């Protein structure tokens, strides 16, 4: 199966991956080179620079920076549901937090949603120390979004997004639905590659 996938360019059976092969082919047809490859390690790919009047959101997943896992973030343009920026690398959490702070400001102080796993807390704390004005908060029990001003006075709120046994299937189901219904535009060959074996 792996030989078929890697050498013959066949996809794994649809029952073994989250995304249907037809949807992966559609994404592959829309892959394009970024207009910029930038950042401290040249792993920040940009397909569209900030446009005044547009709304953006950054979704970030944090890794420790010393293993096989990558820290990543994606910049979504809300109006068109395009992923207009992507980072994938192995910075330490403090460097990653600083980079998120800079990119978030560059994209109009857009909302930054960070997974609050063990190392995610370090990034969230740094963003808070920087005074970043638009960090995602949610209620612990329901995972429902709460605005940052309310979060300061309400009990039971937490910075970031919690991926758990409860939320992970919901996240994956929603992503698969958006991909299947072609509601999201993905241009990244790196993301396409991850999706083929996810």
């Amino acid at each position: 199966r792996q030989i078929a996938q890697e050498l013959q360019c066949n996809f794994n059976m649809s029952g073994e991956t989250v995304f249907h092969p037809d949807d992966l082919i559609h994404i592959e047809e829309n892959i394009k080179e970024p207009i910029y490859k930038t950042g401290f390690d040249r792993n920040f790919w940009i397909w569209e620079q900030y446009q005044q009047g547009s709304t953006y959101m950054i979704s970030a997943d944090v890794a420790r920076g010393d293993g096989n896992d990558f820290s990543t973030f994606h910049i979504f343009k809300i109006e068109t549901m395009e992923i207009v920026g992507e980072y994938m690398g192995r910075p330490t959490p403090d460097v990653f937090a600083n980079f998120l702070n800079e990119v978030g400001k560059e994209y109009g102080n857009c909302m930054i949603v960070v997974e609050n796993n063990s190392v995610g807390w370090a990034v969230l704390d740094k963003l808070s120390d920087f005074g970043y004005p638009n960090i995602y908060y949610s209620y612990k029990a329901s995972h429902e979004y709460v605005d940052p001003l309310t979060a300061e006075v309400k009990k039971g709120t937490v910075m970031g997004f919690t991926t758990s046994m409860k939320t992970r299937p919901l996240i994956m189901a929603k992503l698969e639905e958006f991909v299947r219904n072609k509601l999201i535009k993905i241009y990244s060959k790196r993301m396409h590659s991850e999706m083929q074996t996810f």
Side-chain angles (χ1 to χ4, degrees):
R1 191 179 303 119
Q2 190 171 359
I3 289 169
Q5 180 184 337
E6 298 296 327
L7 301 181
Q8 298 171 0
C9 299
N10 292 334
F11 292 108
N12 284 340
M13 297 293 290
S14 61
E16 296 185 22
T17 58
V18 171
F19 305 102
H20 191 277
D22 292 345
D23 299 326
L24 293 171
I25 289 168
H26 174 75
I27 290 169
E28 185 176 27
E29 289 169 349
N30 289 292
I31 289 172
K32 58 184 180 183
E33 282 297 308
I35 56 173
Y36 300 109
K37 290 184 180 180
T38 185
F40 61 93
D41 59 359
R42 312 275 305 156
N43 282 321
F44 179 28
W45 294 4
I46 300 171
W47 287 273
E48 178 183 290
Q49 290 183 297
Y50 173 71
Q51 293 183 346
Q52 189 77 32
S54 293
T55 307
Y56 299 90
M57 178 192 77
I58 297 175
S59 174
D61 183 28
V62 187
R64 281 198 333 238
D66 61 355
N68 292 328
D69 204 6
F70 291 93
S71 286
T72 60
F73 68 73
H74 291 89
I75 305 170
F76 293 85
K77 185 176 181 181
I78 302 300
E79 291 85 359
T80 58
M81 287 305 293
E82 293 173 88
I83 297 179
V84 297
E86 175 188 81
Y87 174 76
M88 183 177 180
R90 292 191 177 100
T92 58
D94 61 321
V95 170
F96 191 51
N98 186 53
F99 193 41
L100 279 171
N101 182 54
E102 291 173 7
V103 172
K105 287 179 178 175
E106 189 178 323
Y107 279 83
N109 284 329
C110 66
M111 178 178 287
I112 296 180
V113 184
V114 180
E115 183 185 2
N116 57 16
N117 59 15
S118 56
V119 285
W121 283 114
V123 170
L124 286 162
D125 282 340
K126 270 283 197 212
L127 285 171
S128 182
D129 290 346
F130 291 141
Y132 190 81
N134 203 358
I135 300 171
Y136 179 90
Y137 282 80
S138 60
Y139 290 108
K140 282 183 187 178
S142 67
H143 307 290
E144 183 184 344
Y145 168 73
V146 56
D147 70 88
L149 292 175
T150 304
E152 286 181 19
V153 295
K154 280 268 191 180
K155 289 185 178 179
T157 61
V158 63
M159 261 194 307
F161 183 84
T162 305
T163 303
S164 65
M165 303 258 303
K166 179 181 175 183
T167 61
R168 184 179 169 84
L170 300 174
I171 296 164
M172 295 317 307
K174 188 55 72 174
L175 178 59
E176 187 279 331
E177 177 189 330
F178 269 61
V179 168
R180 177 171 29 88
N181 291 315
K182 298 172 181 54
L183 300 175
I184 187 169
K185 295 174 187 164
I186 299 167
Y187 305 126
S188 169
K189 63 184 175 186
R190 294 186 299 199
M191 188 166 183
H192 175 259
S193 177
E194 292 289 325
M195 292 170 78
Q196 286 184 76
T197 55
F198 189 74

